Amino acid sequence: MDIEDKRQLNERKFSDWENLSNGGRRYWLEINGKHGWKARYVKEVNALEETTKFYQEVYDNKGKLVEIHEKFPLDKGHRNVGG
């Protein structure tokens, strides 16, 4: 799979993205949960569209980031960041 194929696949899987200064991209997808909470799945890739980082952000019903779960390159488990 070449870079363009990988990019198109990421663009289909994730609803939003931004270009990074290192030539890579940050993709994300937000999922609404119960009681007004939401989760954001974030995938960061390098210029070759290779995954460098993948994590989940959890937001409370007021939109405040309360937890991060780093999953790649090393699963660090959930980390409370507030709330």
Side-chain angles (χ1 to χ4, degrees), residues 13-49:
K13 287 183 176 182
F14 296 88
S15 57
D16 297 288
W17 60 85
E18 65 184 350
N19 295 320
L20 301 175
S21 60
N22 65 2
R25 279 185 167 184
R26 178 180 296 119
Y27 296 94
W28 68 92
L29 172 67
E30 290 185 2
I31 306 293
N32 292 319
K34 296 179 181 179
H35 311 294
W37 288 53
K38 71 177 177 180
R40 177 183 290 170
Y41 293 91
V42 183
K43 179 180 183 179
E44 294 182 11
V45 299
N46 61 20
L48 299 175
E49 287 291 312

